[in-house]
Amino acid sequence: MNVVDSSGWLEYFADGPNADKFAPAIQRTRELIVPTLSIYEVFKRVLQQRSETEALRAAALMQQGRVVDLNAGSRSERLSYRLS
């Protein structure tokens, strides 16, 4: 399983100099975990820099992975999702 943080997604979407380092993890959607916070952060930044349409496209692409809510819930909630 792979988790890509917001900076990795933004680098990938901008086709920045390190985009190729994030591409394999992002493109393997069956192995990709996407925190809801990352979707929010990327949407907000793309909306600021580009357009609502591009921000919605980015969010839709991110949701092709397994979206999880990584919060500070109870210990049993945090352990209910095991990374394998």
Side-chain angles (χ1 to χ4, degrees):
M1 298 304 253
N2 297 301
V3 178
V4 177
D5 71 357
S6 302
S7 64
W9 282 101
L10 291 168
E11 182 75 6
Y12 178 78
F13 289 135
D15 197 23
N18 294 312
D20 59 332
K21 291 181 173 55
F22 296 103
I26 289 172
Q27 293 169 355
R28 284 190 222 113
T29 56
R30 289 182 181 219
E31 301 171 16
L32 180 62
I33 296 173
V34 183
T36 54
L37 180 60
S38 292
I39 296 172
Y40 167 76
E41 291 173 341
V42 170
F43 179 88
K44 182 177 170 182
R45 190 68 171 163
V46 174
L47 181 62
Q48 289 172 341
Q49 294 184 343
R50 295 186 187 172
S51 68
E52 182 176 5
T53 299
E54 290 299 314
L56 289 169
R57 284 185 186 147
L61 180 66
M62 294 175 77
Q63 291 178 57
Q64 290 180 9
R66 179 178 288 183
V67 177
V68 296
D69 184 15
L70 299 180
N71 60 37
S74 70
R75 183 167 194 248
S76 61
E77 288 173 342
R78 289 192 305 262
L79 294 176
S80 67
Y81 184 81
R82 291 183 288 184
L83 300 178
S84 53

